C-alpha cells in the first residue's frame, strides 16, 4: 500500500492524499485482494460514492451501515442504468440501517473528455441529509471560510548601502516573500543593480 500527496494541475497547492495499491497478477484468472479504511472526522464531507471503476466490474458490492442516530441521512441513486445495479435495505434491531448495492457486469468508466460532468452523467450514490435546510448549509460553509486576516507587525525594511543585494533580497524574502520584493522595487535608487534583479523577478 502506498500513501502520498497528490496535487491537481489547476491548484497551486492542497493537502490532498491518495492511497493506492500495486498488485502483480502472474497469470490470467489470478486474483488479488486489497482493503483499506478511510475515516471522515466530519461526516458532512462524505457526500457520495461513484459506482463505476476504471475497469469493468463483473461482481461488486457497496454497503452503507447508517446508525440510528443519523436517521435523517438519505442515499439517492443518481444516473443509474436500467440494469447492472440493484439496491436492498434492511433495519437492524438497534435501529441502524444497512443499505447494499450489488453490481453485476458493469462496463468500465468512460474516458471521453467531451462527456458531460461526472455528477451529471455517471452513476453515483449521493449522500444527503446532513443539514435541515439551505440556511444551515450556508452557515456551515460560512464558518469554514472564515480566515484570520491579521498581519503580524513587521519592521519596515529600507535599502541600506551596508547590505549587498543578496542580503537585501534574503531579508525581503523572509519578511515579505518574493511578491514583497516586487512591491518594494521602487525603493531602490535609480541605477542600483538590485532594481534589475527585482525587475527580473516580476
Amino acid at each position: 500500500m502506498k500513501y502520498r500527496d497528490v496535487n491537481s494541475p489547476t491548484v497551486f497547492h492542497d493537502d490532498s492524499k491518495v492511497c493506492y495499491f500495486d498488485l502483480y497478477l502472474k497469470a490470467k484468472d489470478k486474483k488479488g485482494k486489497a482493503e483499506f479504511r478511510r475515516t471522515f472526522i466530519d461526516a458532512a464531507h462524505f457526500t457520495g460514492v461513484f459506482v463505476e471503476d476504471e475497469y469493468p466490474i463483473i461482481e461488486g458490492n457497496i454497503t452503507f451501515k447508517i446508525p440510528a442516530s443519523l436517521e435523517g441521512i438519505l442515499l439517492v441513486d443518481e444516473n443509474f442504468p436500467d440494469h447492472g445495479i440493484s439496491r436492498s435495505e434492511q433495519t437492524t434491531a438497534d435501529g441502524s440501517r444497512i443499505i447494499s448495492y450489488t453490481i453485476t457486469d458493469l462496463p468500465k468508466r468512460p474516458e471521453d473528455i467531451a462527456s458531460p460532468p461526472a455528477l451529471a452523467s455517471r452513476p453515483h450514490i449521493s449522500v444527503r441529509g446532513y443539514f435541515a435546510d439551505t440556511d444551515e448549509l450556508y452557515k456551515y460553509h460560512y464558518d469554514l471560510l472564515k480566515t484570520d486576516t491579521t498581519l503580524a507587525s513587521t519592521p519596515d525594511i529600507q535599502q541600506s548601502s551596508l547590505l549587498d543585494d543578496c542580503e537585501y533580497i534574503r531579508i525581503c524574502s523572509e519578511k515579505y516573500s518574493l511578491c514583497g520584493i516586487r512591491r518594494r522595487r521602487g525603493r531602490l535608487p535609480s541605477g542600483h543593480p538590485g532594481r534589475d534583479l527585482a525587475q527580473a523577478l516580476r
Side-chain angles (χ1 to χ4, degrees):
M1 183 180 74
K2 298 180 180 179
Y3 186 66
R4 63 177 178 82
D5 296 328
V6 58
N7 286 319
S8 168
T10 61
V11 177
F12 176 72
H13 175 74
D14 62 35
D15 57 357
S16 298
K17 306 285 185 180
V18 62
C19 179
Y20 65 98
F21 306 88
D22 289 330
L23 294 177
Y24 177 66
L25 304 178
K26 295 183 179 180
K28 184 179 178 180
D29 295 330
K30 293 293 184 180
K31 297 181 179 180
K33 182 178 181 180
E35 182 175 320
F36 69 96
R37 180 186 297 261
R38 184 181 182 187
T39 302
F40 291 86
I41 298 176
D42 186 344
H45 290 184
F46 179 55
T47 58
V49 175
F50 279 92
V51 179
E52 297 171 316
D53 205 340
E54 59 182 317
Y55 299 103
I57 300 175
I58 298 175
E59 293 180 357
N61 184 267
I62 301 174
T63 301
F64 294 83
K65 297 180 180 179
I66 306 174
S69 59
L70 297 176
E71 61 179 356
I73 295 298
L74 301 174
L75 301 184
V76 181
D77 306 340
E78 304 276 7
N79 307 315
F80 273 26
D82 295 333
H83 54 82
I85 307 174
S86 60
R87 168 173 169 161
S88 64
E89 301 184 30
Q90 60 176 316
T91 303
T92 62
D94 63 358
S96 300
R97 290 174 290 154
I98 299 178
I99 303 177
S100 297
Y101 292 85
T102 301
I103 306 167
T104 307
D105 296 327
L106 190 68
K108 70 175 184 177
R109 181 175 58 239
E111 299 179 358
D112 184 3
I113 60 174
S115 62
L119 287 175
S121 60
R122 308 317 311 161
H124 65 279
I125 304 162
S126 178
V127 183
R128 304 177 187 177
Y130 295 112
F131 307 100
D133 51 36
T134 53
D135 289 340
E136 189 175 326
L137 174 62
Y138 174 83
K139 183 181 182 304
Y140 174 82
H141 283 288
Y142 178 79
D143 291 340
L144 289 178
L145 294 174
K146 287 182 179 178
T147 305
D148 182 5
T149 58
T150 304
L151 298 176
S153 58
T154 306
D156 194 16
I157 296 178
Q158 300 288 340
Q159 172 68 9
S160 170
S161 59
L162 298 178
L163 297 176
D164 61 25
D165 295 329
C166 292
E167 180 67 8
Y168 176 65
I169 291 174
R170 183 189 68 78
I171 294 176
C172 284
S173 64
E174 290 177 358
K175 298 292 185 181
Y176 297 103
S177 78
L178 288 178
C179 62
I181 297 175
R182 291 194 290 268
R183 286 195 297 271
R184 284 173 163 70
R185 66 178 184 275
R187 293 177 179 269
L188 298 176
S190 178
H192 193 284
R195 291 193 65 170
D196 294 333
L197 180 57
Q199 183 70 24
L201 289 172
R202 289 188 67 184

